[in-house]
Amino acid sequence: YPDTKFVFVDGYPLDLENVAPIAFKEEQSGYLAGYAIVKDGFTKLGFTGGGGGTNPACCRYGYGFVQGADAAAVELGIADQVVIEYAYGNQFVGDADITAAMDTWYQGGTEIVFACGGGIYTSAAEAAAKVGGKLIGVDVDQSGNINTYGEGMCVTSAMKGLAETVKHMLSEVVAGNFANYGGKIET
């Protein structure tokens, strides 16, 4: 099929016209989260991401977060007062080691942590609960899960709009418009 676009996955051709890849710019919602919390008065921040720093989405969230926090701090004239702890976990679930690291951050004055990477938020939430700390969720509205560790613990979530994107694409398929998306990368 010379006119068909193929990519090989595990040695098998995948017809890209049957796939609608969608990418997100996580750095944008990460930026907004960092900007908003500094504007909201937080100055002692933390970021922890899953995947050991090798997950591109977590890295983009973190880069955006730092840039947004910095921009807000500069606007407010408090750049010398905003401090960010930054570390990657090696997984996407919480555990005793990550909780211990988060304990150190919160006990050292960190007010809020952007817990980026699946269930890694559980460790940050366990540590935050001990000192009245706050969290920022990721990807979707995580407030329902995070707030089980303490009322109002989740200040916001840096969301991609996953549900909205899936609903839109499914409505396009139902409407017979998939050809407008198949084989094209949407960002």
Side-chain angles (χ1 to χ4, degrees), residues 1-8 13-19 182-184:
Y1 306 108
D3 295 334
T4 305
K5 297 180 265 178
F6 284 99
V7 67
F8 287 86
L14 175 66
D15 181 350
L16 289 182
E17 292 179 4
N18 291 329
V19 177
K184 300 171 189 157

Side-chain angles (χ1 to χ4, degrees), residues 77-130:
I78 59 167
D80 60 333
Q81 298 170 36
V82 174
V83 178
I84 302 175
E85 297 280 356
Y86 197 104
Y88 289 106
N90 290 320
Q91 59 205 27
F92 294 98
V93 296
D95 69 10
D97 292 335
I98 296 171
T99 301
M102 296 295 101
D103 280 337
T104 301
W105 285 8
Y106 280 113
Q107 291 169 8
T110 296
E111 302 164 306
I112 188 166
V113 171
F114 182 5
C116 177
I120 204 167
Y121 78 88
T122 60
S123 284
E126 289 172 9
K130 297 171 189 172

Side-chain angles (χ1 to χ4, degrees), residues 47-55 58-60 62-63 86-90 120:
F47 175 87
T48 184
T54 60
N55 180 276
C58 289
C59 291
R60 287 190 297 269
Y63 296 158
Y86 197 104
Y88 289 106
N90 290 320
I120 204 167

Side-chain angles (χ1 to χ4, degrees), residues 25-49:
K25 293 184 177 182
E26 292 88 356
E27 66 276 11
Q28 292 177 348
S29 58
Y31 181 98
L32 292 173
Y35 186 88
I37 62 163
V38 170
K39 286 287 195 163
D40 204 30
F42 293 95
T43 59
K44 308 292 187 271
L45 320 177
F47 175 87
T48 184

Side-chain angles (χ1 to χ4, degrees), residues 65-175:
F65 179 70
V66 170
Q67 292 171 2
D70 181 62
V74 168
E75 283 180 18
L76 294 171
I78 59 167
D80 60 333
Q81 298 170 36
V82 174
V83 178
I84 302 175
E85 297 280 356
Y86 197 104
Y88 289 106
N90 290 320
Q91 59 205 27
F92 294 98
V93 296
D95 69 10
D97 292 335
I98 296 171
T99 301
M102 296 295 101
D103 280 337
T104 301
W105 285 8
Y106 280 113
Q107 291 169 8
T110 296
E111 302 164 306
I112 188 166
V113 171
F114 182 5
C116 177
I120 204 167
Y121 78 88
T122 60
S123 284
E126 289 172 9
K130 297 171 189 172
V131 296
K134 302 291 185 183
L135 259 69
I136 298 167
V138 70
D139 290 336
V140 297
D141 180 1
Q142 286 189 306
S143 62
N145 293 330
I146 293 171
N147 288 341
T148 63
Y149 291 84
E151 187 176 333
M153 182 181 288
C154 184
V155 173
T156 190
S157 293
M159 302 183 341
K160 295 180 182 181
L162 295 169
E164 295 83 358
T165 302
V166 170
K167 289 175 187 174
H168 171 73
M169 291 305 295
L170 290 174
S171 70
E172 288 295 291
V173 169
V174 170

